[in-house]
Amino acid sequence: LNKIFTEVLALGLSSNFLQVYSAIIQEEIFCPPETAVILAAYACQAKFGDAYDVNDPVPPVKELLPKSIIDNHTLSIHDWETRISRWHLKLHDVSFLDSIVEYLDIAQDVELYGASIFEVETKSGSRKWISLDAVGLNIYESKRPHKLTKEELAEIERLLTELELELPHRATGFEYAPWQVKDHQRQAKALEVKLNLSIPSTEETRKMLRRVADIIVFLGQVGLD
């Protein structure tokens, strides 16, 4: 009975894994580059099992990463392969089932995972994308890569600075309520999405992304307390 249950569970998870994997590669779900590399490593572990050397084995990068990530960054195909391989090497002895479970678990934290996306037109005629999920509602100028204007960058800088100033370690004796942590996590991830959709990537946007990453990590630790 346990064997049958395990097989049924594996079949269901495999189907879910393939759906999410396909959605990320086809960019139906937006995924930041760093997360995409980790997911690619788990996909390799699920498909090939243990790796014993860098680039052993790695399928074509286009089968592992969304096209926009490959096109919008200066890394070569070999660089991407090496990054994925290094993560793959760390997954030694992780089983097929554990690999896809971890893949799905990580994918759940991607900004637009499990969200319904709607395109709307404002009174001014501009197009916007609305993502609606269990956490709340977010509005994006576009879910397609585009060059951020000076005004957009200035607005992101303003929001990022405000978010940094509200972090608990900047306010002695202040405690976050759970809803505040989630709200700030949502704000940080929304900024991450906007910055990752910026093409071409610049030193300014990369610095902002590092600041956002620090905020997300910090808030994740706060949420565990």
Side-chain angles (χ1 to χ4, degrees), residues 6-205:
T6 301
E7 290 176 351
V8 171
L9 177 63
L11 183 62
L13 287 172
S14 296
S15 176
N16 195 7
F17 162 74
L18 290 174
Q19 290 177 0
V20 175
Y21 173 83
S22 177
I24 288 175
I25 297 301
Q26 295 175 17
E27 301 186 70
E28 295 171 6
I29 297 174
F30 174 78
C31 186
E34 297 81 2
T35 305
V37 167
I38 297 172
L39 290 176
Y42 274 103
C44 286
Q45 181 69 11
K47 183 173 183 178
F48 301 109
D50 294 338
Y52 295 93
D53 195 6
V54 174
N55 299 326
D56 172 36
V58 174
V61 169
K62 66 180 181 180
E63 296 179 10
L64 295 172
L65 298 175
K67 186 175 184 297
S68 64
I69 290 179
I70 299 172
D71 292 345
N72 298 334
H73 290 76
T74 57
L75 293 179
S76 67
I77 294 297
H78 177 72
D79 290 335
W80 286 118
E81 290 176 345
T82 300
R83 288 194 173 197
I84 294 169
S85 292
R86 285 174 178 167
W87 273 101
H88 188 187
L89 283 168
K90 296 178 182 180
L91 304 180
H92 208 274
D93 292 333
V94 177
S95 69
F96 167 77
L97 192 57
D98 286 341
S99 295
I100 61 176
V101 167
E102 286 298 323
Y103 184 102
L104 293 172
D105 187 49
I106 294 170
Q108 288 185 77
D109 292 329
V110 173
E111 173 69 9
L112 297 182
Y113 177 88
S116 298
I117 310 298
F118 304 94
E119 185 180 20
V120 297
E121 183 173 335
T122 65
K123 290 183 178 180
S124 63
S126 63
R127 310 295 294 182
K128 293 183 182 293
W129 295 89
I130 295 178
S131 72
L132 180 63
D133 56 29
V135 177
L137 181 144
N138 287 298
I139 300 176
Y140 305 99
E141 293 298 323
S142 170
K143 70 171 185 176
R144 301 297 180 190
H146 65 286
K147 183 177 181 179
L148 292 175
T149 65
K150 290 183 179 180
E151 291 76 16
E152 288 176 315
L153 286 170
E155 178 65 9
I156 291 174
E157 173 64 32
R158 183 185 69 79
L159 294 171
L160 182 53
T161 301
E162 287 182 358
L163 201 52
E164 287 173 330
L165 292 173
E166 291 179 5
L167 293 180
H169 73 285
R170 296 289 182 89
T172 305
F174 178 77
E175 293 185 2
Y176 266 174
W179 69 267
Q180 290 173 311
V181 175
K182 289 184 178 180
D183 182 58
H184 285 173
Q185 285 175 327
R186 184 167 61 246
Q187 291 180 49
K189 287 186 177 182
L191 292 177
E192 183 182 43
V193 168
K194 290 179 180 179
L195 288 167
N196 274 309
L197 286 175
S198 173
I199 56 170
S201 174
T202 66
E203 182 61 27
E204 182 180 13
T205 58

Side-chain angles (χ1 to χ4, degrees), residues 164 167 209-219 221:
E164 287 173 330
L167 293 180
L209 275 169
R210 287 193 288 270
R211 290 164 63 190
V212 171
D214 288 341
I215 291 173
I216 291 174
V217 170
F218 184 82
L219 290 172
Q221 294 171 342

